[in-house]
Amino acid sequence: MIRIIPLLATTTLAFVSCERRSDIEIANEENILIVGNSNEPKGLDPHLVSGVLESNIIRALFEGLVVDHPSKDSDSVDGVAFKDQIEHSEDFTEWTFYLNPEAKWSDGVTVTAHDFVFSYKRLLSPDPNWPAKYAEMLYFLKNGEAYHRSKLGHILCGNDPNFPLVWETLKEANFEGDSKIKPQKFKNKKFSELNEQELKKFSPYLTGEDTPDFDELNSKGSDLEALSTANKKVLFNSIGLDKLNRKQLLHLKDNLSLIKWSDNITTEVKQLVIARILSHHDSGKPKLWDKAQVGVSAINDSTLRLKLRGPTPYLLEVAKHYTWYPVPKHIILKHGEINTAYSSPWTKPENIISNGPFKLKSWRTNHLLEVERNPHYWDAEEVKLDGIRYLPIRNYYTETRMFGDEQLHLTYTVPSELIPLAKEKYAAELRQESYIGTRYLRVNTLNSPFDNPKVRRAFALAIDQKSICEKILQGGQEPASGIVPPFGDYKPPGLIKFDPEKAKALLQESGYASTSSFPDIDLLTTNSDSGLREAEALQAMWQKHLGIKVRIQQREWSTYLQNQYDFNYDIAVAGWIGDYLDPTTFLELWVTDGGNNNTAWSSKTFEDLLRKAEKTSDITTRMSILSEAEETMMNDIPVLPIYWYTTNYLIRPEVKNWNPLLLNNHPFKFIEIDKN
Amino acid sequence: MLRIILSRLLQTLVVVFLLVTFTFFAIRMMPGNPFADVKALTEENKAAMERLYGLDKPLHIQYANYWKNVLLEGDFGDSFSMKGRKVSTLISESFPISLKLGLFSLILAMSLGIPLGIIAALFHNKWQDYTAMIIAMAGICIVTFVLGPIFQLSFAKPLSWLNVAGWSRPSDVILPAITLCFGVAAYLARLTRGGMLDVLSQDYIRSAKAKGVSQLNIITKHALRPALVPAVTFLGPAFAAIITGSFVVESIFLIPGMGQYFVLGIQNQDYTLVLGLVLFYGILMGIANLMSDLALIFMDPKLRNS
């Protein structure tokens, strides 16, 4: 026992005489940038990730058609394609990209237009086992959505120029199916007991005498012979022509009225549609890539042509997103098939090949991910850094301390409690910049009291947004007047602001006699400290200005998410960061049954405006249509905006060319460590 | 002796089996969804993920498959959240780090706690005793997430050769080890004191004193071994707990140890990771207890027959 003490003493002394230079001094000499990246990346496959921290790494490893401009939002520079050679049709629906023949993968193989075609085909894969979450980023491509969602009517009939009926008319028929009338949603209910709102859902599909029996549907749904006609109508229309199985299609052939068509469709056409879909089933459901004619093609090795679903003047903004990056066809096919998703073997450190300014050097789980210079990168001479080290620092206090101790060049964030300290001690290193995102409250409009828009509006106007920004967050955030943050040419309608008098008046009007008759409401938030403080502020504001006390419900992350997906909440704090610089990245979330909607709010007017904007090529007109769409939405107010995001972080003075960018996606090829 | 070892091992196996079974079913009852993400999952995506990880099979088949993989192939499965990483790799990479930190901590704790306890016992009810016990109490009460940052700011910041956090230099082990050792040292001090007091009041010690044996020899040759029995009993499980990593210390000092995975596994609802950790920890605990018992038998002849 006693002998251990001298042993400890000598080992300690040995440490003392070790490395005295700080991590930063060593890294600066080696020209390596050390960044805090908040957590361990879930993967490096650009088609299978969805997080910001993963995109920080993917941006260094891969490169798309164009690259973010280092200092100007809404602008771009050469990527794999030559920016100044890009051509587009006058209505912005057809684009041609000429690729740099010097663009190479990190194994020396040339990047070709075929890699892009392969990549888009991969991301859009309709394979039911392909778990890509961001495939919709490629819906800008003509027929992209149809291919991804196996819209058989569209692909087999709509794309055929010789089909006796144009798709514009044919698509009135119920190809998509209607999830609102899914039998499972009406378990244990009787049709005769449904209220007016529920009955309306069925009216497009049933005639007067039809009386579906939900019990029978839910128990015997697959036995077509046993079901009544009314039941079959509900079943078939909930599924839709695109997804009926073979047995159902055969049955439909002899009973055309089981599906809702439209008046302009003749019996012959109906039979033709069914025949085509049936033959697809009969021939073993072959891959539909060619029939789908998705709007991406390689004219030759270095020319890529894109055909879009509508005028898209902002395409280059979209193309900066990592879902539009190429992936190496030759490497992916070497380690699996086009859709091998399970642990993406091609992304293992010993396999991965990429085309960006850096390539993967090492990846120690939960410890360090390191990238190094890619000598085959077409612009390698311009790249100043020799490598980047990403540290998965989950504890943001530790991250700030590490910055102060010269272990990092750049932090991921600064926790709001430390911002006053940072302003004092690290005034020169602290950056507080606008970040394109909105913090808002998602409202479940299915349940009272939030089914009443006046109540929703009252809650929105009772939020003292400025106080939250200035007293609680202190990160330079701005009160949000709507769901889309202001940027570039977009003019937000600006309908929401703090107005406690109006809030009180609205609550009165909404018919709740007194605040004691108000139902109990739970405010759902995450289990973080800052989330709690924010929630407490909201709770206090609603108490003060409306006299209503909500209960705060903190849940850990995955439960917090799942509760919203399951509509198991009243009102929840939420946020959204834009994927590209266009209002649609915020507005498209709110379409009917959108995966990230979860408010049960739905508006045909709103969606029609979005579709109209999709067809408008004039930039100014388009922006005002989108502004109108946002106004329509904020009149109904299914979400309550709180503030627009900023990003707060610490950066050492020797890091150059790290400029404020709304999307915060700084291109690493331009970053330099200035040793002077 | 052999009988003891075998019976202990058998006990361990039974306990581990029960532990893993319980965890297997308990974790599936958690609300939420292992694949939930900010970007919504479509029904098809969710079904695809479940198929990929075998969650669409009936529960008893999943359970049987799990044991089959573990026992026949030593395969603890793939982690749900750390894509493409095998659970066994995650454990084998992070455990040595936690082990190193844990051993350092333990040695420090023993060097601090045991002498403190002995001194307290020898100067029973005098100021040395009270001081020692106050220090021990402080060690139990002041938690790691207070101590850690205090050390970071008081020592690491001003000293250029000591990093605030990370695991890239040999010196990175010092501060976290000191932070971790206080709690164990405090318990060791109290247990040693209690054990020592008990032994010192025994008849045979009085006889030794009467026979003229020196104070030093009384302590080292006659009293120490039996006095350390309570401490050693405690050390077994404490050892297992420390070497599997402390989540808090690893988070504060950015150490890529095993402790983080315990919490991350639950937060991410990573079934395979949690099960693998429980299995590993259970076996480790069993071995630690066995070692503890063997050490006791060696130290106190009275226990040899039981």
Side-chain angles (χ1 to χ4, degrees), chain A residues 521-555:
Chain A
I521 302 179
D522 288 319
L523 171 61
L524 175 66
T525 184
T526 59
N527 59 0
S528 67
D529 290 327
S530 51
L532 180 59
R533 279 179 303 126
E534 212 178 32
E536 285 172 346
L538 290 166
Q539 184 189 49
M541 287 166 189
W542 288 324
Q543 170 84 58
K544 179 170 173 194
H545 300 295
L546 298 176
I548 295 175
K549 177 119 192 252
V550 311
R551 293 187 299 227
I552 298 179
Q553 205 186 51
Q554 282 191 291
R555 291 287 180 269

CSV table of all heavy atoms in Angstrom, one decimal, chain A residues 521-555:
chain,number,residue,atom,x,y,z
A,521,ILE,N,-54.7,22.1,-19.8
A,521,ILE,CA,-53.8,22.0,-21.0
A,521,ILE,C,-52.4,21.6,-20.6
A,521,ILE,O,-51.9,22.2,-19.6
A,521,ILE,CB,-53.8,23.4,-21.7
A,521,ILE,CG1,-55.1,23.8,-22.1
A,521,ILE,CG2,-52.9,23.3,-22.9
A,521,ILE,CD1,-55.1,25.1,-22.8
A,522,ASP,N,-51.8,20.7,-21.3
A,522,ASP,CA,-50.4,20.4,-21.0
A,522,ASP,C,-49.5,21.0,-22.1
A,522,ASP,O,-49.8,20.9,-23.3
A,522,ASP,CB,-50.2,18.9,-21.1
A,522,ASP,CG,-50.8,18.2,-19.8
A,522,ASP,OD1,-50.7,18.8,-18.7
A,522,ASP,OD2,-51.4,17.2,-20.0
A,523,LEU,N,-48.4,21.7,-21.7
A,523,LEU,CA,-47.4,22.2,-22.6
A,523,LEU,C,-46.3,21.2,-22.7
A,523,LEU,O,-45.6,21.0,-21.7
A,523,LEU,CB,-47.0,23.6,-22.1
A,523,LEU,CG,-45.8,24.2,-22.8
A,523,LEU,CD1,-46.1,24.5,-24.3
A,523,LEU,CD2,-45.4,25.5,-22.1
A,524,LEU,N,-46.1,20.6,-23.8
A,524,LEU,CA,-45.1,19.6,-24.0
A,524,LEU,C,-43.8,20.2,-24.4
A,524,LEU,O,-43.7,21.0,-25.3
A,524,LEU,CB,-45.6,18.6,-25.1
A,524,LEU,CG,-44.6,17.5,-25.5
A,524,LEU,CD1,-44.4,16.5,-24.4
A,524,LEU,CD2,-45.2,16.7,-26.7
A,525,THR,N,-42.7,19.8,-23.7
A,525,THR,CA,-41.4,20.3,-24.1
A,525,THR,C,-40.4,19.3,-23.8
A,525,THR,O,-40.7,18.2,-23.2
A,525,THR,CB,-41.1,21.7,-23.4
A,525,THR,OG1,-39.8,22.1,-23.9
A,525,THR,CG2,-41.0,21.5,-21.9
A,526,THR,N,-39.1,19.5,-24.1
A,526,THR,CA,-38.0,18.5,-23.9
A,526,THR,C,-37.6,18.6,-22.5
A,526,THR,O,-38.0,19.5,-21.7
A,526,THR,CB,-36.8,18.8,-24.8
A,526,THR,OG1,-36.4,20.2,-24.6
A,526,THR,CG2,-37.2,18.7,-26.3
A,527,ASN,N,-36.7,17.7,-22.1
A,527,ASN,CA,-36.2,17.7,-20.7
A,527,ASN,C,-34.9,18.5,-20.5
A,527,ASN,O,-34.1,18.2,-19.6
A,527,ASN,CB,-36.1,16.3,-20.2
A,527,ASN,CG,-35.1,15.5,-21.0
A,527,ASN,OD1,-34.5,16.0,-21.9
A,527,ASN,ND2,-34.9,14.3,-20.6
A,528,SER,N,-34.7,19.5,-21.4
A,528,SER,CA,-33.5,20.3,-21.2
A,528,SER,C,-33.8,21.5,-20.2
A,528,SER,O,-34.9,21.9,-20.1
A,528,SER,CB,-33.0,20.8,-22.5
A,528,SER,OG,-33.9,21.8,-23.0
A,529,ASP,N,-32.7,22.0,-19.6
A,529,ASP,CA,-32.9,23.2,-18.7
A,529,ASP,C,-33.4,24.4,-19.5
A,529,ASP,O,-34.3,25.1,-19.0
A,529,ASP,CB,-31.6,23.5,-18.1
A,529,ASP,CG,-31.1,22.5,-17.1
A,529,ASP,OD1,-32.0,21.9,-16.5
A,529,ASP,OD2,-29.9,22.3,-17.0
A,530,SER,N,-32.9,24.7,-20.6
A,530,SER,CA,-33.3,25.9,-21.4
A,530,SER,C,-34.8,25.7,-21.8
A,530,SER,O,-35.6,26.6,-21.8
A,530,SER,CB,-32.4,26.2,-22.5
A,530,SER,OG,-32.3,25.0,-23.3
A,531,GLY,N,-35.1,24.4,-22.2
A,531,GLY,CA,-36.5,24.2,-22.6
A,531,GLY,C,-37.5,24.4,-21.4
A,531,GLY,O,-38.5,25.0,-21.6
A,532,LEU,N,-37.0,24.1,-20.2
A,532,LEU,CA,-37.9,24.3,-19.0
A,532,LEU,C,-38.1,25.8,-18.8
A,532,LEU,O,-39.2,26.2,-18.5
A,532,LEU,CB,-37.2,23.6,-17.8
A,532,LEU,CG,-38.0,23.8,-16.5
A,532,LEU,CD1,-39.4,23.2,-16.7
A,532,LEU,CD2,-37.3,23.1,-15.4
A,533,ARG,N,-37.0,26.5,-18.9
A,533,ARG,CA,-37.1,28.0,-18.6
A,533,ARG,C,-38.0,28.7,-19.6
A,533,ARG,O,-38.8,29.5,-19.2
A,533,ARG,CB,-35.7,28.6,-18.6
A,533,ARG,CG,-35.0,28.4,-17.2
A,533,ARG,CD,-33.7,29.0,-17.1
A,533,ARG,NE,-32.8,28.5,-18.2
A,533,ARG,CZ,-32.1,29.3,-19.0
A,533,ARG,NH1,-32.2,30.6,-18.9
A,533,ARG,NH2,-31.3,28.8,-19.9
A,534,GLU,N,-37.9,28.3,-20.8
A,534,GLU,CA,-38.7,28.8,-21.9
A,534,GLU,C,-40.2,28.5,-21.5
A,534,GLU,O,-41.1,29.3,-21.6
A,534,GLU,CB,-38.4,28.1,-23.2
A,534,GLU,CG,-38.5,28.9,-24.4
A,534,GLU,CD,-38.0,28.1,-25.6
A,534,GLU,OE1,-38.2,26.9,-25.5
A,534,GLU,OE2,-37.5,28.7,-26.5
A,535,ALA,N,-40.4,27.2,-21.2
A,535,ALA,CA,-41.8,26.8,-20.9
A,535,ALA,C,-42.4,27.5,-19.7
A,535,ALA,O,-43.5,27.9,-19.7
A,535,ALA,CB,-41.8,25.3,-20.6
A,536,GLU,N,-41.5,27.7,-18.7
A,536,GLU,CA,-42.0,28.5,-17.5
A,536,GLU,C,-42.4,29.9,-17.9
A,536,GLU,O,-43.3,30.4,-17.3
A,536,GLU,CB,-40.9,28.4,-16.4
A,536,GLU,CG,-40.8,27.1,-15.7
A,536,GLU,CD,-39.6,27.0,-14.8
A,536,GLU,OE1,-38.7,27.8,-14.9
A,536,GLU,OE2,-39.6,26.1,-14.0
A,537,ALA,N,-41.6,30.5,-18.8
A,537,ALA,CA,-41.9,31.9,-19.2
A,537,ALA,C,-43.3,31.9,-19.9
A,537,ALA,O,-44.1,32.7,-19.6
A,537,ALA,CB,-40.8,32.4,-20.1
A,538,LEU,N,-43.5,30.9,-20.8
A,538,LEU,CA,-44.8,30.9,-21.5
A,538,LEU,C,-45.9,30.7,-20.5
A,538,LEU,O,-47.0,31.3,-20.6
A,538,LEU,CB,-44.7,29.7,-22.5
A,538,LEU,CG,-43.8,30.0,-23.7
A,538,LEU,CD1,-43.6,28.7,-24.5
A,538,LEU,CD2,-44.4,31.0,-24.7
A,539,GLN,N,-45.7,29.8,-19.6
A,539,GLN,CA,-46.7,29.5,-18.6
A,539,GLN,C,-47.1,30.7,-17.8
A,539,GLN,O,-48.2,31.0,-17.6
A,539,GLN,CB,-46.2,28.4,-17.6
A,539,GLN,CG,-47.1,27.9,-16.6
A,539,GLN,CD,-46.3,27.0,-15.6
A,539,GLN,OE1,-45.3,27.4,-15.1
A,539,GLN,NE2,-46.9,25.9,-15.3
A,540,ALA,N,-46.0,31.5,-17.4
A,540,ALA,CA,-46.3,32.7,-16.6
A,540,ALA,C,-47.0,33.7,-17.5
A,540,ALA,O,-47.9,34.4,-17.0
A,540,ALA,CB,-44.9,33.3,-16.1
A,541,MET,N,-46.6,33.8,-18.8
A,541,MET,CA,-47.3,34.8,-19.6
A,541,MET,C,-48.8,34.5,-19.8
A,541,MET,O,-49.6,35.4,-19.8
A,541,MET,CB,-46.6,34.9,-21.0
A,541,MET,CG,-45.2,35.6,-20.9
A,541,MET,SD,-44.3,35.3,-22.3
A,541,MET,CE,-42.7,35.9,-21.8
A,542,TRP,N,-49.1,33.3,-20.1
A,542,TRP,CA,-50.5,32.9,-20.3
A,542,TRP,C,-51.3,33.1,-19.0
A,542,TRP,O,-52.4,33.5,-19.0
A,542,TRP,CB,-50.6,31.5,-20.8
A,542,TRP,CG,-50.1,31.4,-22.2
A,542,TRP,CD1,-50.3,32.3,-23.2
A,542,TRP,CD2,-49.5,30.3,-22.8
A,542,TRP,NE1,-49.8,31.8,-24.4
A,542,TRP,CE2,-49.2,30.6,-24.2
A,542,TRP,CE3,-49.0,29.0,-22.3
A,542,TRP,CZ2,-48.6,29.7,-25.1
A,542,TRP,CZ3,-48.4,28.2,-23.2
A,542,TRP,CH2,-48.2,28.5,-24.6
A,543,GLN,N,-50.6,32.9,-17.9
A,543,GLN,CA,-51.3,33.1,-16.6
A,543,GLN,C,-51.6,34.5,-16.4
A,543,GLN,O,-52.7,34.9,-16.1
A,543,GLN,CB,-50.4,32.6,-15.5
A,543,GLN,CG,-50.8,32.9,-14.1
A,543,GLN,CD,-51.9,31.9,-13.6
A,543,GLN,OE1,-51.6,30.7,-13.5
A,543,GLN,NE2,-53.0,32.4,-13.3
A,544,LYS,N,-50.6,35.4,-16.7
A,544,LYS,CA,-50.7,36.8,-16.4
A,544,LYS,C,-51.7,37.5,-17.4
A,544,LYS,O,-52.5,38.3,-17.0
A,544,LYS,CB,-49.3,37.4,-16.6
A,544,LYS,CG,-49.3,38.9,-16.4
A,544,LYS,CD,-47.9,39.4,-16.3
A,544,LYS,CE,-47.9,40.9,-16.3
A,544,LYS,NZ,-46.5,41.5,-16.6
A,545,HIS,N,-51.6,37.1,-18.7
A,545,HIS,CA,-52.4,37.9,-19.6
A,545,HIS,C,-53.8,37.3,-19.9
A,545,HIS,O,-54.7,37.9,-20.4
A,545,HIS,CB,-51.7,38.1,-20.9
A,545,HIS,CG,-50.4,38.9,-20.7
A,545,HIS,ND1,-50.4,40.1,-20.3
A,545,HIS,CD2,-49.1,38.5,-20.8
A,545,HIS,CE1,-49.1,40.5,-20.2
A,545,HIS,NE2,-48.3,39.5,-20.5
A,546,LEU,N,-53.9,35.9,-19.7
A,546,LEU,CA,-55.2,35.3,-20.0
A,546,LEU,C,-55.8,34.7,-18.8
A,546,LEU,O,-56.9,34.2,-18.9
A,546,LEU,CB,-54.9,34.2,-21.1
A,546,LEU,CG,-54.4,34.6,-22.4
A,546,LEU,CD1,-54.1,33.4,-23.3
A,546,LEU,CD2,-55.4,35.5,-23.1
A,547,GLY,N,-55.1,34.6,-17.7
A,547,GLY,CA,-55.6,34.0,-16.5
A,547,GLY,C,-55.7,32.5,-16.6
A,547,GLY,O,-56.4,31.8,-15.9
A,548,ILE,N,-54.9,31.9,-17.5
A,548,ILE,CA,-55.0,30.4,-17.7
A,548,ILE,C,-53.7,29.8,-17.3
A,548,ILE,O,-52.6,30.2,-17.8
A,548,ILE,CB,-55.3,30.0,-19.2
A,548,ILE,CG1,-56.7,30.6,-19.5
A,548,ILE,CG2,-55.3,28.6,-19.4
A,548,ILE,CD1,-57.1,30.4,-20.9
A,549,LYS,N,-53.8,28.7,-16.5
A,549,LYS,CA,-52.5,28.1,-16.1
A,549,LYS,C,-52.4,26.7,-16.9
A,549,LYS,O,-53.2,25.8,-16.7
A,549,LYS,CB,-52.6,27.8,-14.6
A,549,LYS,CG,-51.4,27.0,-14.1
A,549,LYS,CD,-50.6,27.8,-13.0
A,549,LYS,CE,-49.3,27.2,-12.7
A,549,LYS,NZ,-49.2,26.6,-11.4
A,550,VAL,N,-51.3,26.7,-17.7
A,550,VAL,CA,-51.1,25.4,-18.3
A,550,VAL,C,-50.1,24.6,-17.5
A,550,VAL,O,-49.3,25.1,-16.7
A,550,VAL,CB,-50.5,25.6,-19.8
A,550,VAL,CG1,-51.3,26.6,-20.5
A,550,VAL,CG2,-49.1,26.0,-19.7
A,551,ARG,N,-50.1,23.3,-17.7
A,551,ARG,CA,-49.2,22.4,-16.9
A,551,ARG,C,-48.0,22.1,-17.9
A,551,ARG,O,-48.2,21.8,-19.0
A,551,ARG,CB,-49.8,21.1,-16.6
A,551,ARG,CG,-50.9,21.2,-15.5
A,551,ARG,CD,-51.4,19.8,-15.1
A,551,ARG,NE,-51.9,19.1,-16.3
A,551,ARG,CZ,-53.0,18.4,-16.3
A,551,ARG,NH1,-53.8,18.4,-15.2
A,551,ARG,NH2,-53.4,17.8,-17.3
A,552,ILE,N,-46.8,22.2,-17.3
A,552,ILE,CA,-45.6,21.9,-18.2
A,552,ILE,C,-45.3,20.4,-18.1
A,552,ILE,O,-45.3,19.8,-17.1
A,552,ILE,CB,-44.4,22.6,-17.7
A,552,ILE,CG1,-44.7,24.1,-17.8
A,552,ILE,CG2,-43.2,22.3,-18.5
A,552,ILE,CD1,-43.5,25.0,-17.3
A,553,GLN,N,-45.1,19.8,-19.3
A,553,GLN,CA,-44.9,18.4,-19.4
A,553,GLN,C,-43.6,18.2,-20.0
A,553,GLN,O,-43.4,18.3,-21.3
A,553,GLN,CB,-46.0,17.8,-20.2
A,553,GLN,CG,-46.3,16.3,-20.0
A,553,GLN,CD,-47.3,15.8,-21.0
A,553,GLN,OE1,-47.2,16.0,-22.2
A,553,GLN,NE2,-48.4,15.2,-20.5
A,554,GLN,N,-42.5,17.9,-19.3
A,554,GLN,CA,-41.2,17.6,-19.9
A,554,GLN,C,-41.1,16.2,-20.2
A,554,GLN,O,-41.4,15.3,-19.4
A,554,GLN,CB,-40.1,18.0,-18.9
A,554,GLN,CG,-39.9,19.5,-18.8
A,554,GLN,CD,-38.6,19.9,-18.1
A,554,GLN,OE1,-38.6,19.7,-16.9
A,554,GLN,NE2,-37.6,20.4,-18.8
A,555,ARG,N,-40.6,15.9,-21.4
A,555,ARG,CA,-40.4,14.5,-21.8
A,555,ARG,C,-39.1,14.4,-22.4
A,555,ARG,O,-38.6,15.3,-23.0
A,555,ARG,CB,-41.5,14.1,-22.8
A,555,ARG,CG,-42.9,14.0,-22.2
A,555,ARG,CD,-43.0,12.8,-21.4
A,555,ARG,NE,-44.4,12.7,-20.8
A,555,ARG,CZ,-44.8,13.2,-19.6
A,555,ARG,NH1,-43.9,13.9,-18.9
A,555,ARG,NH2,-46.0,13.0,-19.2
